[in-house]
Every structure is written in structure tokens, then in C-alpha cells.
Amino acid sequence: MGVFRLLTNFYENTGNLNRLFSKSFLTFAVAMKKYVKYLGLPLVYAGVLLLAISYVARTTSNLLLFTGLGCIVAGIIGYVYSVRHTSKY
């Protein structure tokens, strides 16, 4: 019932859109805070998979290549960050 009421109030009052997005973003950020330390290696794997897909499909799209590269770089940074903060040294 709460979702239905939220959707009906959304159409009546345009200010609810900003509150809805800010509340959902904060909820998402709090929920992801405990899982962000596990995203390093899966991002690297996803980046390698994207690069392999672009090679097999023989695409010439730079967007796919840069997305794969971005995933790999973000994954390496995330992995190093998580290892550094879980280590005692």
C-alpha cells in the first residue's frame, strides 16, 4: 500500500521526485557500503569479459573497449583499496 500511495502522491506533488531520489540513493549507498569491498575482482572479471566479447564479435566500438578498460582499472583500484584496509600493516 505504501508504494501505491507514493506513486499517487508523486503525480500530485512534483517535489516528491527529489525526495524520492535522494532517499533511495541514500538507502542504496548505505546498503552498498558493506559490499563495496567485494567488488574489486568481479569488476576486473567483467572488464576482461567485455574485452573478450569485443574481440570475438570483432566490434570497432570504442565505447565497449573503454568500458572494459574502466572496469579493469576500477576493479584494480578497489581491490588494492580493500586489501590495504583489511591488512594490519
Side-chain angles (χ1 to χ4, degrees):
M1 189 68 176
V3 174
F4 179 72
R5 178 172 280 164
L6 181 68
L7 289 175
T8 55
N9 287 340
F10 168 73
Y11 289 110
E12 295 173 3
N13 191 357
T14 58
N16 285 340
L17 181 63
N18 291 335
R19 286 191 293 260
L20 175 70
F21 282 137
S22 64
K23 185 176 181 182
S24 63
F25 178 75
L26 288 175
T27 305
F28 178 73
V30 168
M32 286 302 293
K33 198 173 218 181
K34 56 184 162 181
Y35 297 115
V36 75
K37 59 186 168 187
Y38 302 115
L39 287 179
L41 286 179
L43 273 176
V44 173
Y45 298 148
V48 170
L49 184 66
L50 285 173
L51 292 178
I53 288 171
S54 70
Y55 177 75
V56 170
R58 298 188 191 268
T59 61
T60 58
S61 171
N62 286 334
L63 180 65
L64 188 60
L65 294 173
F66 284 128
T67 304
L69 178 66
C71 285
I72 291 172
V73 170
I76 290 171
I77 291 171
Y79 179 74
V80 169
Y81 180 79
S82 68
V83 168
R84 244 181 123 190
H85 284 280
T86 56
S87 176
K88 293 182 180 180
Y89 300 107

